[in-house]
Amino acid sequence: MNSRRHFLKLSASLSTVSLTGLATANTITQGIPDPSKSSFDLARDENHWQQIRALFPVQDELINLEHGYWGKMATVVEDALATNTHRINKELSWYARTQYKSDFLAARKSVASALNANVNELMLTRNATESFVNLITQYKGLESTDAILWADSDYPSFQKMMAWLAKEHNVKGHKITLPAAGTHEDYINVYKQAFDRMPNLKLMLLTHVSNQHGLVLPVKAISEMAKARGIQVICDCAQSWGLLDFTVDDIGADWAVFNLHKWIGSPVGVGALYMRTGTMAPVSPFPGEDPNDEDVANRVHLATSDFAAFITVPKALAVHQAIGGSNKEARLTYLRDSWVNEVQQLPQVEILGAKETDNASGMGGFRLRHATSKEAVSQLQSRLQNEFGIFTVLRDSLTSGCCIRVTPQIFTPISHIHALSDAIKTIASTQ
Ligand SMILES: Cc1ncc(COP(=O)(O)O)c(C=O)c1O
């Protein structure tokens, strides 16, 4: 089926799905044969992604390559959120006390199913940070001789919380530095060497996709190595789910934190906490909750929160699934490779993170060689914005120095990526 026909059926199907009901990929894509193209070919089909772009409200006056902060809801999701917000504001506690419980459970089930987790293993939270705070502050598995580990490319506030945990329990906290750029093998080796050097590690933070430069760590291989040594792994999937297409089986870790408001395209204020069955004991229930309950929901307390955001999740997930997780991953990686391949040979340019497509995501990082200070990278960010109309963001947490993070979205046209590589070439030629 050609991509225009696929798109028309997709739009029609998306608009008929019930707002709060369980809209699975099956119901939404019923009657839409897969496009005949593979994800690889579809990633390069500008016409297809132009049509996907029409599903979103877009801002045309600027080239926005900073989509790592949070995601964009498709228009149908935005409409569903507005309808749900209106209904809840009208019905208030009547809705909350009579209907919300089952709508929330439906949302929770849809996320668990998309991640191939059991519903008791997956609880919705307000964001990945909340999930991580629950794990860290309720973790009681440390003894004085133990140590914990994190890395410079982990999310900065999660690094701080790991340092807090070490201090709080009076155990050694080790921060390692990953190579500024490397292959899967390089990163596996760094973790292996760290495990060999630190035999008393008990807990580690492992980031699936770094918020600094989009590096994809081989989390399954590293988690398995860690588990074999008795090290518990928290996998930070805040930036990865939806940017990459995977389920919990692909990450190998027993515990993971997620966001849906980045790459799944849910309303802002939805994350998730995953804890594999049988692994919850070292993390206390939320204060006052049942200690014997083997349900991850008792590690979290949502209290009064954004009801409408949570119940809009099945709709967002249905859109994500209708576009296709693997199609999104392929498109985004293609966009990243397109600018990286154009500029990586320039002697003035340094690409950070992934050395190969294998460990790259749609998000990428670069800087001018030897210009790693905050001032230098901030100047580069300003030049891109002011001289070329390209919006990016500076990241400053890597041991090797600062970089520009470049994050397209699935609806970013390739012309925006060409504009970026042309701008980088122009800037490099003046160095
Ligand atoms: C890798 C990573 N971890 C954690 C977070 C925190 O996400 P949130 O602010 O939604 O909790 C982010 C946000 O950008 C991130 O990129």
Side-chain angles (χ1 to χ4, degrees), residues 68-69 127-130 155 158 207 209-211 236 238-239 259 261-262 405:
Y69 193 164
N127 46 54
T129 301
E130 176 174 34
Y155 191 62
F158 287 15
T207 302
V209 171
S210 170
N211 85 311
D236 175 0
Q239 195 62 258
N259 272 325
H261 55 215
K262 288 192 190 283
R405 182 178 81 184

Side-chain angles (χ1 to χ4, degrees), residues 244-310:
L244 306 177
D245 186 34
F246 66 95
T247 68
V248 290
D249 308 316
D250 301 313
I251 56 177
D254 290 336
W255 303 340
V257 303
F258 294 89
N259 272 325
L260 279 89
H261 55 215
K262 288 192 190 283
W263 295 100
I264 299 298
S266 80
V268 169
V270 187
L273 171 61
Y274 167 75
M275 300 183 81
R276 195 182 297 280
T277 302
T279 69
M280 298 179 202
V283 177
S284 299
F286 193 87
E289 294 294 330
D290 179 1
N292 300 317
D293 187 1
E294 273 288 294
D295 181 346
V296 65
N298 83 347
R299 267 71 188 168
V300 173
H301 183 63
L302 285 177
T304 310
S305 39
D306 191 342
F307 306 103
F310 285 119

Side-chain angles (χ1 to χ4, degrees), residues 97-413:
R97 299 206 189 280
T98 62
Q99 180 68 40
Y100 180 59
K101 200 170 167 192
S102 69
D103 285 349
F104 182 85
L105 184 62
R108 189 179 164 197
K109 279 184 177 160
S110 70
V111 177
S113 154
L115 281 168
N116 203 23
N118 194 313
V119 70
N120 282 353
E121 298 176 318
L122 193 292
M123 179 57 179
L124 298 180
T125 61
R126 281 162 282 204
N127 46 54
T129 301
E130 176 174 34
S131 310
F132 193 72
V133 168
N134 286 127
L135 286 176
I136 293 296
T137 57
Q138 290 156 224
Y139 185 67
K140 55 173 170 103
L142 291 171
E143 289 171 13
S144 60
T145 50
D146 293 335
I148 65 174
L149 181 82
W150 65 94
D152 69 326
S153 58
D154 292 332
Y155 191 62
S157 65
F158 287 15
Q159 292 188 46
K160 284 188 198 160
M161 283 189 258
M162 290 297 279
W164 172 87
L165 181 69
K167 209 164 159 216
E168 192 71 6
H169 291 259
N170 210 11
V171 302
K172 193 93 185 122
H174 298 282
K175 172 177 171 176
I176 56 170
T177 294
L178 303 188
T183 62
H184 265 181
E185 276 311 304
D186 295 332
Y187 294 109
I188 288 174
N189 286 336
V190 173
Y191 277 98
K192 185 174 177 311
Q193 284 159 16
F195 296 164
D196 288 344
R197 271 198 323 276
M198 306 163 199
N200 53 348
L201 286 177
K202 188 73 179 285
L203 176 75
M204 66 181 285
L205 167 61
L206 187 59
T207 302
H208 196 185
V209 171
S210 170
N211 85 311
Q212 299 290 300
H213 44 31
L215 170 72
V216 182
L217 281 178
V219 288
K220 185 154 192 176
I222 298 168
S223 296
E224 281 169 359
M225 237 164 36
K227 269 193 197 170
R229 296 167 192 241
I231 306 166
Q232 187 65 256
V233 178
I234 300 176
C235 192
D236 175 0
C237 301
Q239 195 62 258
S240 60
W241 192 38
L243 179 65
L244 306 177
D245 186 34
F246 66 95
T247 68
V248 290
D249 308 316
D250 301 313
I251 56 177
D254 290 336
W255 303 340
V257 303
F258 294 89
N259 272 325
L260 279 89
H261 55 215
K262 288 192 190 283
W263 295 100
I264 299 298
S266 80
V268 169
V270 187
L273 171 61
Y274 167 75
M275 300 183 81
R276 195 182 297 280
T277 302
T279 69
M280 298 179 202
V283 177
S284 299
F286 193 87
E289 294 294 330
D290 179 1
N292 300 317
D293 187 1
E294 273 288 294
D295 181 346
V296 65
N298 83 347
R299 267 71 188 168
V300 173
H301 183 63
L302 285 177
T304 310
S305 39
D306 191 342
F307 306 103
F310 285 119
I311 67 171
T312 306
V313 162
K315 184 79 169 184
L317 210 43
V319 174
H320 164 76
Q321 288 166 334
I323 296 171
S326 62
N327 294 336
K328 285 172 69 172
E329 174 179 338
R331 170 66 176 177
L332 289 160
T333 310
Y334 161 69
L335 292 176
R336 182 260 179 200
D337 283 355
S338 296
W339 68 265
V340 168
N341 291 341
E342 279 290 308
V343 302
Q344 67 185 348
Q345 303 307 337
L346 299 174
Q348 304 92 333
V349 173
E350 184 183 1
I351 302 294
L352 282 303
K355 260 196 182 160
E356 298 165 340
T357 300
D358 253 11
N359 57 339
S361 62
M363 181 181 270
F366 81 99
R367 62 189 169 214
L368 296 174
R369 210 168 282 283
H370 310 305
T372 61
S373 69
K374 205 162 184 168
E375 289 79 5
V377 178
S378 181
Q379 238 177 43
L380 180 56
Q381 193 278 339
S382 299
R383 283 197 70 185
L384 285 170
Q385 187 173 317
N386 301 332
E387 292 173 35
F388 302 93
I390 300 174
F391 185 57
T392 56
V393 69
L394 173 152
R395 298 288 81 182
D396 63 359
S397 184
L398 298 170
T399 306
S400 72
C402 299
C403 67
I404 294 284
R405 182 178 81 184
V406 175
T407 318
Q409 247 285 10
I410 51 170
F411 45 76
T412 300

